[in-house]
C-alpha cells in the first residue's frame, strides 16, 4: 500500500524565492533517495505564508529508510543546511494519508460554447 506524505510549510512571506530554490533542489534528491515526488507548491494567490509538498512512499518503514538516505545524500545535506541558514521555513508539519477514492475515471475535456455577436 502506497502512502502519501503531505507537508504543510509556514514560510517567511519575504522568503518565497528562497523556498522556491529549496523546492527545486529536492527534484533530484528525493526520487534518488526512494520517494516518488509529486511536487512542491509555493504561495501564488491568497496566503503568502503557506506552502506544500507531497510525495508517495511505500510504507512508514520505507519512509524511515528514505529519510536516512536523504539526510546522508550530499544534495540533501546541502539543502537542509540552506534552509537552516536562510531561515525561510518557520514551521513544518507532516501528515501521512492513503488514497481511498481511486481508481478515478479519465478527466473529461469540455469546450465552452461562446457565441459571437454579429
Amino acid at each position: 500500500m502506497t502512502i502519501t506524505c503531505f507537508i504543510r510549510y509556514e514560510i517567511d512571506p519575504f522568503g518565497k524565492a528562497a523556498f522556491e530554490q529549496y523546492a527545486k533542489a529536492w527534484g533530484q534528491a528525493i526520487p534518488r533517495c526512494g520517494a516518488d515526488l509529486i511536487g512542491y507548491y509555493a504561495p501564488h494567490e491568497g496566503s503568502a505564508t503557506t506552502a506544500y509538498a507531497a510525495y508517495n512512499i511505500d510504507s512508514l518503514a520505507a519512509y524511515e529508510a528514505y529519510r536516512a538516505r536523504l539526510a546522508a545524500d550530499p544534495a540533501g545535506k546541502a539543502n537542509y543546511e540552506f534552509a537552516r541558514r536562510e531561515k525561510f521555513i518557520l514551521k513544518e508539519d507532516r501528515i501521512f494519508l492513503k488514497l481511498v477514492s481511486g481508481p478515478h475515471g479519465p478527466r473529461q475535456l469540455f469546450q465552452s460554447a461562446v457565441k459571437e455577436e454579429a
Side-chain angles (χ1 to χ4, degrees):
M1 171 186 76
T2 298
I3 57 176
T4 303
C5 178
F6 290 91
I7 307 170
R8 181 184 179 278
Y9 295 94
E10 181 182 333
I11 63 172
D12 180 327
F14 301 103
K16 182 179 166 189
F19 179 81
E20 290 178 7
Q21 180 180 339
Y22 171 82
K24 289 175 184 172
W26 287 127
Q28 299 297 314
I30 287 175
R32 180 174 54 247
C33 291
D36 179 21
L37 181 61
I38 296 167
Y40 275 77
Y41 301 85
H44 176 70
E45 187 68 31
S47 172
T49 61
T50 304
Y52 295 92
Y55 58 86
N56 292 322
I57 194 108
D58 292 334
S59 66
L60 289 176
Y63 169 76
E64 293 300 328
Y66 152 78
R67 290 285 295 194
R69 286 189 299 271
L70 195 61
D73 183 84
K77 284 181 182 181
N79 213 26
Y80 284 132
E81 179 53 35
F82 171 67
R84 277 190 284 276
R85 184 178 64 249
E86 299 299 320
K87 300 181 188 317
F88 54 89
I89 297 174
L90 306 176
K91 186 176 178 184
E92 183 176 329
D93 294 311
R94 281 181 175 70
I95 186 170
F96 296 88
L97 302 174
K98 64 181 180 176
L99 178 65
V100 296
S101 66
H104 305 116
R107 183 177 75 167
Q108 299 295 308
L109 299 178
F110 295 95
Q111 293 181 350
S112 51
V114 178
K115 292 183 180 180
E116 292 185 30
E117 293 184 32

